[in-house]
Amino acid sequence: MVFKAEKRHRTNPFKPTAGRTPPLLVGRQPVLDDFQEGLDDGPGAPGRLMCVTGARGVGKTVILTEFHKMAEAQGWSVVAESASPGLTKRLMSRVEPQHEGIGISFKPELKVPLVGTLQFGELKAAGDDMMPLTLRDALSRRLDVEESHDGGLLVTIDEAQAASRDDMIAIATAMQFLTTQERNYAFVFAGLPSLSSKWLNDDATTFLRRAQPEKLGDVPWDEVQESFRKTFADTGITLKDEDLSKAAKATEGYPFMIQLVGYNIWRTVRRRGVAEDHILASAQDVETGIAAALVRLGDTVHGPEMDGLSPIDRTYLLAMAQDDGPSSTSAIAQRMGRDTNYANIYRMRLLDAQVIKEAGHGYVDFAIPYLREYLREHAAYYRLNTSSQTEHDA
């Protein structure tokens, strides 16, 4: 028993890893409740067709993972995919019930308008022009199997904003058919906020407008503070109220930062008192943990985000970083040495990428916590890099 207790104390409960389910889904219970209600209410329930959106790092993939567990707990099967070329064909392959002697083959050169034909012992799928029908049939056959033992099928698509239009049309057409047939299925899409404007306003995918929207935002500080209190206490660590408040505010309600701050404070405390069953964290422990979390945030979020942007995108952000709060779009253009119309092109790009956000008429602010501070610390590097890339492109 002593060994188990010490092992529990020495295992960090925070998991600052992309897609890894944290020990406590802070602030996400309403979304989980909506999905569970959809499972309980049967075919046609709003929670069975859901669109989860949010900025990077708010926990969209974590929510999908939790949905998988909830569905499996009710005896359902789960098919999880991420949007990339060949999405529909991968879905067909994964949902199609496999039978001995029959396989599925997808060949691009096949364009005959047939649902399927037997040839050389294989079930040949139709070409891309018949994809909506073949996906519908594959899902229907899988549901025949699942429903025969009172089960169901959950399909989740992560990073759905990156899906091709043909894939989304195929999926929307199949879902609409399954809904009219009252089949026991659920579909959940997750992606950046641009997902809504990209697919829900497309005339070819109008069925997706029925998807229940779930927007994941920042978690209130009081909920973060209470989750810290409970999680630390469960592993034998106590934080004073003022230190709990400081730790919670340092996260800015950003789910990934919640895990980073918690992880690094816990590690700092346990390194100092690893052999103790119970230990009181000091103010210095909290400061050290927060500082380490900020460094890690820069390495894992800010750096990769900046690397994926164009030189002019970076110039726009560097112009914003000169302000302590929201930036005037006209002031940004002036700092860039460009007119407002030119600067607005990059403003829209950065808004779509969820790097910045609207902050009132004519103003924008950073959407990712601490990006302003990161840019100030690395301004010389990015100015040099941006300048050299711009000259090279020219």
Side-chain angles (χ1 to χ4, degrees):
M1 294 299 292
V2 174
F3 172 76
K4 289 184 178 180
E6 289 189 0
K7 183 179 180 181
R8 176 175 67 87
H9 288 166
R10 295 178 185 179
T11 301
N12 199 319
F14 296 95
K15 310 298 179 186
T17 304
R20 180 71 181 267
T21 303
L24 195 61
L25 288 171
V26 189
R28 301 303 185 224
Q29 195 57 49
V31 181
L32 301 178
D33 289 343
D34 286 347
F35 182 70
Q36 185 62 57
E37 186 176 274
L39 293 179
D40 295 340
D41 288 350
R48 291 196 174 199
L49 178 56
M50 189 177 287
C51 182
V52 180
T53 59
R56 291 181 179 86
V58 299
K60 299 182 294 296
T61 303
V62 168
I63 284 291
L64 293 185
T65 301
E66 198 65 19
F67 286 172
H68 300 163
K69 295 176 183 177
M70 295 165 69
E72 289 169 345
Q74 297 199 186
W76 282 35
S77 291
V78 174
V79 172
E81 272 292 348
S82 185
S84 61
L87 171 61
T88 304
K89 291 182 179 180
R90 290 199 306 277
L91 285 174
M92 290 177 64
S93 178
R94 295 189 62 187
V95 303
E96 178 69 33
Q98 298 298 299
H99 303 286
E100 186 175 355
I102 298 180
I104 299 177
S105 174
F106 299 102
K107 294 191 176 182
E109 67 271 14
L110 285 176
K111 295 294 181 182
V112 293
L114 299 173
V115 175
T117 178
L118 288 174
Q119 182 178 342
F120 304 115
E122 293 184 332
L123 178 62
K124 300 290 183 179
D128 290 342
D129 54 332
M130 293 299 292
M131 194 61 73
L133 181 59
T134 54
L135 176 61
R136 182 194 77 180
D137 288 352
L139 286 165
S140 295
R141 287 191 288 268
R142 176 62 175 270
L143 283 167
D144 287 342
V145 174
E146 300 296 338
E147 292 171 351
S148 68
H149 52 77
D150 298 324
L153 178 66
L154 167 64
V155 179
T156 64
I157 309 295
D158 204 358
E159 302 294 343
Q161 78 281 347
S164 72
R165 187 169 185 269
D166 286 345
D167 282 333
M168 292 302 285
I169 291 173
I171 292 169
T173 302
M175 288 193 308
Q176 186 165 14
F177 173 79
L178 296 176
T179 298
T180 61
Q181 299 298 304
E182 296 190 346
R183 304 305 299 264
N184 204 29
Y185 85 101
F187 249 93
V188 180
F189 302 91
L192 298 175
S194 57
L195 165 65
S196 298
S197 59
K198 185 175 182 180
W199 298 125
L200 304 189
N201 295 324
D202 189 313
D203 290 340
T205 57
T206 53
F207 179 73
L208 296 179
R209 295 176 188 171
R210 303 181 192 177
Q212 179 167 312
E214 299 284 1
K215 298 179 181 179
L216 302 183
D218 294 337
V219 180
W221 288 349
D222 59 339
E223 293 187 34
V224 177
Q225 182 169 322
E226 185 54 35
S227 73
F228 275 166
R229 185 193 308 278
K230 181 180 186 303
T231 307
F232 280 115
D234 286 347
T235 58
I237 297 175
T238 301
L239 272 69
K240 296 177 182 178
D241 287 344
E242 57 267 30
D243 291 328
L244 279 169
S245 178
K246 181 181 293 184
K249 289 180 179 179
T251 70
E252 294 198 7
Y254 189 57
F256 185 56
M257 190 60 172
I258 293 172
Q259 297 303 313
L260 280 175
V261 170
Y263 179 88
N264 283 285
I265 291 176
W266 192 97
R267 184 172 64 169
T268 301
V269 173
R270 275 298 162 194
R271 281 180 172 178
R272 179 168 60 82
V274 67
E276 300 177 36
D277 288 338
H278 298 282
I279 187 170
L280 176 65
S282 68
Q284 186 59 51
D285 290 332
V286 174
E287 291 285 354
T288 301
I290 292 172
L294 288 172
V295 171
R296 185 63 176 162
L297 184 69
D299 292 341
T300 58
V301 176
H302 298 146
E305 187 70 51
M306 292 294 288
D307 290 343
L309 298 176
S310 75
I312 309 302
D313 288 327
R314 295 174 196 162
T315 299
Y316 192 100
L317 294 175
L318 287 169
M320 284 181 61
Q322 296 180 36
D323 298 312
D324 293 331
S327 300
S328 163
T329 53
S330 59
I332 294 170
Q334 186 176 17
R335 291 167 186 166
M336 294 174 68
R338 302 285 188 168
D339 61 43
T340 304
N341 289 335
Y342 178 89
N344 276 341
I345 295 173
Y346 295 94
R347 167 181 162 272
M348 292 306 301
R349 283 162 52 106
L350 291 167
L351 284 171
D352 287 343
Q354 288 295 296
V355 179
I356 65 175
K357 60 185 177 182
E358 299 278 7
H361 182 67
Y363 284 82
V364 290
D365 203 353
F366 291 100
I368 303 174
Y370 297 105
L371 183 54
R372 174 184 289 105
E373 292 79 1
Y374 178 85
L375 286 168
R376 288 176 175 178
E377 291 176 6
H378 298 78
Y381 168 79
Y382 283 116
R383 285 196 182 99
L384 178 62
N385 225 22
T386 296
S387 176
S388 62
Q389 287 187 43
T390 302
E391 290 175 4
H392 179 270
D393 292 341

Coordinates of all heavy atoms in Angstrom, one line a residue, residues 289-356:
G289 N 7.4 27.4 -11.9 CA 6.6 26.6 -12.8 C 5.9 27.4 -13.9 O 5.9 26.9 -15.1
I290 N 5.5 28.5 -13.6 CA 4.9 29.4 -14.7 C 5.9 29.8 -15.7 O 5.6 29.8 -16.9 CB 4.2 30.7 -14.0 CG1 3.0 30.3 -13.2 CG2 3.9 31.7 -15.1 CD1 2.4 31.4 -12.4
A291 N 7.1 30.2 -15.2 CA 8.2 30.5 -16.2 C 8.5 29.4 -17.1 O 8.7 29.6 -18.3 CB 9.4 31.0 -15.4
A292 N 8.6 28.2 -16.6 CA 8.9 27.0 -17.4 C 7.8 26.7 -18.4 O 8.0 26.4 -19.5 CB 9.1 25.8 -16.5
A293 N 6.5 27.0 -18.0 CA 5.4 26.8 -18.9 C 5.4 27.7 -20.0 O 5.1 27.4 -21.2 CB 4.1 26.9 -18.1
L294 N 5.8 29.0 -19.8 CA 5.9 30.0 -20.8 C 6.9 29.6 -21.9 O 6.7 29.8 -23.1 CB 6.2 31.4 -20.2 CG 5.0 32.0 -19.4 CD1 5.5 33.3 -18.7 CD2 3.8 32.3 -20.4
V295 N 8.1 29.1 -21.4 CA 9.1 28.7 -22.3 C 8.6 27.6 -23.2 O 8.8 27.6 -24.4 CB 10.4 28.3 -21.6 CG1 11.4 27.6 -22.5 CG2 11.0 29.4 -20.8
R296 N 7.9 26.6 -22.6 CA 7.4 25.5 -23.3 C 6.3 25.9 -24.3 O 6.2 25.4 -25.4 CB 6.9 24.4 -22.3 CG 6.4 23.1 -23.0 CD 7.5 22.4 -23.6 NE 7.1 21.1 -24.2 CZ 7.7 20.4 -25.1 NH1 8.8 20.9 -25.6 NH2 7.2 19.3 -25.5
L297 N 5.5 26.8 -23.9 CA 4.4 27.4 -24.8 C 5.1 28.0 -26.0 O 4.6 27.8 -27.2 CB 3.6 28.4 -24.1 CG 2.4 29.0 -24.8 CD1 1.3 27.9 -25.0 CD2 1.8 30.2 -24.1
G298 N 6.1 28.7 -25.8 CA 6.8 29.3 -27.0 C 7.4 28.3 -27.9 O 7.3 28.4 -29.1
D299 N 8.0 27.2 -27.3 CA 8.6 26.2 -28.2 C 7.6 25.3 -28.9 O 7.8 24.9 -30.1 CB 9.4 25.2 -27.3 CG 10.7 25.9 -26.7 OD1 11.1 27.0 -27.2 OD2 11.2 25.4 -25.7
T300 N 6.4 25.1 -28.3 CA 5.5 24.1 -28.9 C 4.3 24.8 -29.6 O 3.7 24.1 -30.4 CB 4.9 23.2 -27.8 OG1 4.3 24.0 -26.8 CG2 6.0 22.3 -27.2
V301 N 4.0 26.0 -29.3 CA 2.9 26.7 -29.9 C 3.3 27.9 -30.7 O 3.1 28.0 -31.9 CB 1.8 27.1 -28.9 CG1 0.7 27.9 -29.5 CG2 1.3 25.9 -28.2
H302 N 4.0 28.9 -30.1 CA 4.3 30.1 -30.8 C 5.3 29.9 -31.9 O 5.1 30.4 -33.0 CB 4.9 31.1 -29.8 CG 4.0 31.5 -28.7 ND1 4.4 31.8 -27.4 CD2 2.6 31.7 -28.7 CE1 3.3 32.1 -26.6 NE2 2.3 32.0 -27.4
G303 N 6.4 29.2 -31.6 CA 7.4 29.0 -32.7 C 6.9 28.3 -33.9 O 7.0 28.8 -35.0
P304 N 6.2 27.1 -33.7 CA 5.6 26.5 -34.9 C 4.6 27.3 -35.6 O 4.5 27.2 -36.9 CB 5.0 25.2 -34.3 CG 5.8 24.9 -33.1 CD 6.1 26.3 -32.5
E305 N 3.8 28.1 -34.9 CA 2.8 28.9 -35.5 C 3.5 30.0 -36.4 O 3.1 30.2 -37.5 CB 2.0 29.6 -34.4 CG 0.8 30.4 -35.0 CD -0.3 29.5 -35.5 OE1 -0.8 28.6 -34.8 OE2 -0.7 29.8 -36.7
M306 N 4.5 30.6 -35.9 CA 5.2 31.6 -36.7 C 5.9 31.0 -37.9 O 6.0 31.6 -39.0 CB 6.2 32.3 -35.8 CG 5.6 33.2 -34.7 SD 4.7 34.6 -35.4 CE 6.0 35.6 -36.0
D307 N 6.4 29.8 -37.7 CA 7.1 29.1 -38.8 C 6.2 28.9 -40.0 O 6.6 28.8 -41.1 CB 7.8 27.8 -38.3 CG 9.0 28.1 -37.4 OD1 9.5 29.2 -37.4 OD2 9.3 27.1 -36.7
G308 N 4.9 28.7 -39.7 CA 4.0 28.4 -40.7 C 3.4 29.6 -41.4 O 2.5 29.4 -42.3
L309 N 3.8 30.8 -41.0 CA 3.2 32.0 -41.6 C 4.2 32.6 -42.7 O 5.4 32.3 -42.7 CB 3.0 33.0 -40.5 CG 2.0 32.7 -39.4 CD1 2.0 33.8 -38.4 CD2 0.6 32.4 -40.0
S310 N 3.6 33.4 -43.6 CA 4.4 34.1 -44.6 C 5.2 35.2 -44.0 O 4.9 35.7 -42.9 CB 3.5 34.6 -45.7 OG 2.8 35.8 -45.3
P311 N 6.2 35.7 -44.7 CA 7.0 36.9 -44.1 C 6.1 38.1 -43.9 O 6.3 38.8 -42.9 CB 8.0 37.1 -45.3 CG 8.2 35.8 -45.9 CD 6.9 35.2 -45.9
I312 N 5.1 38.3 -44.7 CA 4.3 39.5 -44.5 C 3.3 39.3 -43.3 O 3.0 40.2 -42.6 CB 3.5 39.9 -45.8 CG1 4.4 40.0 -47.0 CG2 2.7 41.2 -45.6 CD1 5.5 41.0 -46.8
D313 N 2.8 38.1 -43.2 CA 2.0 37.7 -42.0 C 2.8 38.1 -40.7 O 2.3 38.7 -39.8 CB 1.7 36.2 -42.0 CG 0.6 35.8 -43.0 OD1 -0.2 36.7 -43.3 OD2 0.7 34.7 -43.5
R314 N 4.1 37.7 -40.7 CA 4.9 38.0 -39.5 C 5.1 39.5 -39.3 O 5.1 40.0 -38.2 CB 6.3 37.3 -39.7 CG 6.2 35.8 -39.7 CD 7.6 35.2 -40.0 NE 7.5 33.8 -40.4 CZ 8.5 33.2 -41.0 NH1 9.6 33.8 -41.3 NH2 8.4 31.9 -41.3
T315 N 5.3 40.2 -40.4 CA 5.4 41.6 -40.3 C 4.2 42.3 -39.7 O 4.3 43.2 -38.9 CB 5.7 42.2 -41.7 OG1 6.9 41.7 -42.3 CG2 5.8 43.8 -41.7
Y316 N 3.0 41.8 -40.1 CA 1.8 42.3 -39.5 C 1.8 42.1 -38.0 O 1.4 42.9 -37.2 CB 0.6 41.6 -40.2 CG -0.8 42.2 -39.9 CD1 -1.4 43.0 -40.8 CD2 -1.4 42.0 -38.7 CE1 -2.6 43.6 -40.6 CE2 -2.7 42.5 -38.4 CZ -3.2 43.3 -39.4 OH -4.5 43.9 -39.1
L317 N 2.1 40.9 -37.6 CA 2.1 40.5 -36.2 C 3.2 41.3 -35.4 O 2.9 41.7 -34.2 CB 2.4 39.0 -36.0 CG 1.3 38.1 -36.5 CD1 1.7 36.6 -36.4 CD2 0.0 38.3 -35.8
L318 N 4.3 41.5 -36.0 CA 5.3 42.3 -35.3 C 4.9 43.8 -35.1 O 5.2 44.4 -34.1 CB 6.6 42.3 -36.1 CG 7.4 41.0 -36.1 CD1 8.5 41.0 -37.1 CD2 8.0 40.8 -34.7
A319 N 4.1 44.3 -36.1 CA 3.5 45.6 -35.9 C 2.5 45.7 -34.8 O 2.4 46.6 -34.1 CB 2.9 46.0 -37.3
M320 N 1.7 44.6 -34.7 CA 0.8 44.5 -33.5 C 1.5 44.4 -32.2 O 1.0 45.0 -31.2 CB -0.1 43.2 -33.7 CG -1.2 43.3 -34.8 SD -2.1 41.8 -34.8 CE -2.8 41.7 -33.2
A321 N 2.6 43.7 -32.2 CA 3.3 43.5 -30.9 C 3.8 44.7 -30.2 O 4.2 44.7 -29.1 CB 4.4 42.5 -31.1
Q322 N 3.8 45.9 -31.0 CA 4.3 47.1 -30.4 C 3.3 47.7 -29.4 O 3.6 48.6 -28.7 CB 4.6 48.1 -31.5 CG 5.7 47.7 -32.5 CD 6.0 48.7 -33.6 OE1 5.9 49.9 -33.3 NE2 6.3 48.2 -34.8
D323 N 2.0 47.2 -29.5 CA 1.0 47.7 -28.6 C 0.8 46.8 -27.4 O 1.0 45.6 -27.5 CB -0.4 47.8 -29.3 CG -0.3 48.8 -30.5 OD1 0.1 49.9 -30.3 OD2 -0.7 48.4 -31.6
D324 N 0.5 47.4 -26.2 CA 0.2 46.6 -25.0 C -1.1 46.0 -25.0 O -1.4 45.1 -24.1 CB 0.4 47.5 -23.8 CG 1.9 48.0 -23.6 OD1 2.8 47.3 -24.1 OD2 2.1 49.1 -23.1
G325 N -2.0 46.4 -25.9 CA -3.4 45.8 -25.9 C -3.8 45.8 -27.4 O -3.0 45.7 -28.3
P326 N -5.1 45.8 -27.6 CA -5.6 45.7 -29.0 C -5.0 46.8 -29.9 O -4.7 47.9 -29.5 CB -7.1 46.0 -28.8 CG -7.4 45.5 -27.4 CD -6.2 45.8 -26.6
S327 N -4.8 46.4 -31.2 CA -4.1 47.3 -32.1 C -5.1 47.9 -33.1 O -6.0 47.2 -33.6 CB -3.0 46.5 -32.9 OG -2.0 46.0 -32.0
S328 N -4.9 49.1 -33.5 CA -5.7 49.8 -34.5 C -5.2 49.2 -35.9 O -4.0 49.2 -36.2 CB -5.5 51.3 -34.5 OG -5.9 51.9 -35.7
T329 N -6.1 48.8 -36.7 CA -5.7 48.3 -38.0 C -5.0 49.3 -38.9 O -4.2 49.0 -39.7 CB -6.9 47.7 -38.8 OG1 -8.0 48.6 -38.8 CG2 -7.4 46.4 -38.0
S330 N -5.5 50.6 -38.8 CA -4.8 51.7 -39.5 C -3.4 51.9 -39.0 O -2.5 52.2 -39.8 CB -5.7 53.0 -39.4 OG -5.8 53.4 -38.1
A331 N -3.2 51.8 -37.7 CA -1.8 52.0 -37.2 C -0.9 50.8 -37.6 O 0.3 51.1 -37.9 CB -1.9 52.0 -35.7
I332 N -1.5 49.6 -37.7 CA -0.7 48.5 -38.2 C -0.2 48.7 -39.6 O 1.0 48.5 -40.0 CB -1.5 47.2 -38.1 CG1 -1.8 46.9 -36.6 CG2 -0.7 46.0 -38.8 CD1 -2.8 45.7 -36.5
A333 N -1.1 49.2 -40.5 CA -0.8 49.5 -41.9 C 0.3 50.5 -42.0 O 1.3 50.4 -42.8 CB -2.0 49.9 -42.6
Q334 N 0.2 51.5 -41.1 CA 1.2 52.6 -41.2 C 2.6 52.1 -40.8 O 3.6 52.4 -41.4 CB 0.7 53.7 -40.2 CG 1.6 55.0 -40.3 CD 1.1 56.1 -39.4 OE1 0.2 55.9 -38.5 NE2 1.6 57.3 -39.6
R335 N 2.6 51.2 -39.7 CA 3.9 50.7 -39.3 C 4.5 49.8 -40.3 O 5.7 49.6 -40.4 CB 3.7 49.9 -38.0 CG 3.3 50.8 -36.8 CD 2.8 50.0 -35.6 NE 2.4 50.8 -34.5 CZ 1.7 50.4 -33.5 NH1 1.3 49.1 -33.4 NH2 1.3 51.2 -32.5
M336 N 3.6 49.1 -41.1 CA 4.1 48.2 -42.2 C 4.5 49.0 -43.4 O 5.2 48.4 -44.3 CB 3.0 47.2 -42.6 CG 2.6 46.2 -41.5 SD 1.2 45.2 -42.1 CE 1.9 44.3 -43.4
G337 N 4.2 50.3 -43.5 CA 4.5 51.1 -44.6 C 3.7 50.8 -45.8 O 4.1 51.0 -47.0
R338 N 2.4 50.4 -45.5 CA 1.5 50.0 -46.6 C 0.1 50.7 -46.4 O -0.1 51.2 -45.3 CB 1.3 48.5 -46.6 CG 2.5 47.7 -46.8 CD 3.0 47.7 -48.2 NE 4.1 46.8 -48.4 CZ 4.5 46.4 -49.6 NH1 4.0 46.9 -50.7 NH2 5.6 45.6 -49.8
D339 N -0.7 50.6 -47.4 CA -2.1 51.2 -47.2 C -2.9 50.2 -46.5 O -2.6 49.0 -46.4 CB -2.7 51.7 -48.5 CG -2.8 50.5 -49.5 OD1 -3.3 49.5 -49.1 OD2 -2.6 50.7 -50.7
T340 N -4.1 50.7 -46.0 CA -5.0 49.8 -45.2 C -5.5 48.6 -46.0 O -5.6 47.5 -45.5 CB -6.2 50.7 -44.7 OG1 -5.7 51.8 -44.0 CG2 -7.1 49.8 -43.8
N341 N -5.8 48.8 -47.3 CA -6.3 47.7 -48.1 C -5.3 46.6 -48.2 O -5.7 45.4 -48.2 CB -6.7 48.2 -49.5 CG -7.9 49.1 -49.5 OD1 -8.8 49.0 -48.6 ND2 -8.1 50.0 -50.5
Y342 N -4.1 46.9 -48.4 CA -3.0 45.9 -48.5 C -2.9 45.2 -47.2 O -2.9 43.9 -47.1 CB -1.7 46.6 -48.8 CG -0.5 45.6 -48.9 CD1 -0.2 45.0 -50.1 CD2 0.3 45.4 -47.8 CE1 0.9 44.1 -50.1 CE2 1.3 44.5 -47.8 CZ 1.7 43.9 -49.0 OH 2.7 43.0 -49.0
A343 N -2.9 45.9 -46.1 CA -2.7 45.3 -44.7 C -3.9 44.4 -44.4 O -3.8 43.4 -43.7 CB -2.6 46.4 -43.7
N344 N -5.1 44.8 -44.9 CA -6.3 44.0 -44.6 C -6.3 42.6 -45.2 O -7.0 41.7 -44.7 CB -7.6 44.8 -45.1 CG -8.0 45.8 -44.1 OD1 -7.7 45.7 -42.9 ND2 -8.8 46.7 -44.5
I345 N -5.5 42.5 -46.3 CA -5.4 41.1 -46.9 C -4.8 40.2 -45.8 O -5.3 39.0 -45.6 CB -4.5 41.2 -48.1 CG1 -5.2 42.0 -49.2 CG2 -4.2 39.8 -48.6 CD1 -4.3 42.2 -50.4
Y346 N -3.8 40.6 -45.1 CA -3.1 39.8 -44.2 C -3.9 39.7 -42.8 O -3.8 38.7 -42.1 CB -1.7 40.3 -44.0 CG -0.9 40.1 -45.3 CD1 -0.8 41.2 -46.2 CD2 -0.3 38.9 -45.6 CE1 -0.2 41.0 -47.4 CE2 0.3 38.7 -46.8 CZ 0.4 39.8 -47.7 OH 1.0 39.6 -48.9
R347 N -4.6 40.8 -42.6 CA -5.5 40.8 -41.4 C -6.5 39.6 -41.6 O -6.7 38.8 -40.6 CB -6.2 42.1 -41.3 CG -7.4 42.1 -40.3 CD -8.0 43.5 -40.3 NE -9.4 43.4 -39.7 CZ -10.5 43.1 -40.4 NH1 -10.4 42.9 -41.7 NH2 -11.7 43.1 -39.8
M348 N -7.1 39.5 -42.7 CA -8.1 38.4 -43.0 C -7.4 37.1 -42.9 O -8.0 36.1 -42.4 CB -8.8 38.6 -44.3 CG -9.7 39.9 -44.4 SD -10.9 39.9 -43.0 CE -11.8 38.3 -43.4
R349 N -6.2 37.0 -43.4 CA -5.5 35.7 -43.4 C -5.3 35.2 -42.0 O -5.5 34.1 -41.6 CB -4.2 35.8 -44.1 CG -4.3 35.7 -45.7 CD -3.1 36.3 -46.3 NE -1.9 35.6 -45.8 CZ -1.1 34.7 -46.5 NH1 -1.5 34.4 -47.7 NH2 0.0 34.3 -46.0
L350 N -4.8 36.2 -41.1 CA -4.5 35.9 -39.7 C -5.8 35.6 -38.9 O -5.8 34.8 -38.0 CB -3.7 37.0 -39.1 CG -2.3 37.1 -39.7 CD1 -1.6 38.4 -39.3 CD2 -1.4 35.9 -39.3
L351 N -6.9 36.3 -39.3 CA -8.1 36.0 -38.6 C -8.6 34.6 -38.9 O -9.1 33.9 -38.0 CB -9.2 37.1 -39.0 CG -9.1 38.5 -38.4 CD1 -10.1 39.4 -39.1 CD2 -9.4 38.4 -36.9
D352 N -8.6 34.2 -40.2 CA -9.0 32.9 -40.6 C -8.1 31.8 -39.9 O -8.7 30.7 -39.6 CB -8.9 32.7 -42.1 CG -10.0 33.5 -42.8 OD1 -11.0 33.9 -42.2 OD2 -9.9 33.8 -44.1
A353 N -6.9 32.1 -39.7 CA -6.0 31.1 -39.1 C -6.1 31.1 -37.6 O -5.4 30.3 -36.9 CB -4.5 31.4 -39.5
Q354 N -6.9 32.0 -37.0 CA -7.1 32.2 -35.6 C -5.9 32.5 -34.8 O -5.7 32.1 -33.7 CB -7.7 30.9 -35.0 CG -9.2 30.7 -35.4 CD -10.1 31.7 -34.8 OE1 -10.2 31.8 -33.6 NE2 -10.7 32.5 -35.7
V355 N -5.0 33.3 -35.5 CA -3.8 33.8 -34.8 C -4.2 35.1 -34.1 O -3.6 35.4 -33.1 CB -2.6 34.0 -35.8 CG1 -1.4 34.6 -35.1 CG2 -2.3 32.7 -36.5
I356 N -5.1 35.9 -34.8 CA -5.6 37.1 -34.2 C -7.1 37.1 -34.1 O -7.7 36.2 -34.7 CB -5.1 38.4 -35.0 CG1 -5.7 38.4 -36.4 CG2 -3.6 38.4 -35.0 CD1 -5.4 39.6 -37.2

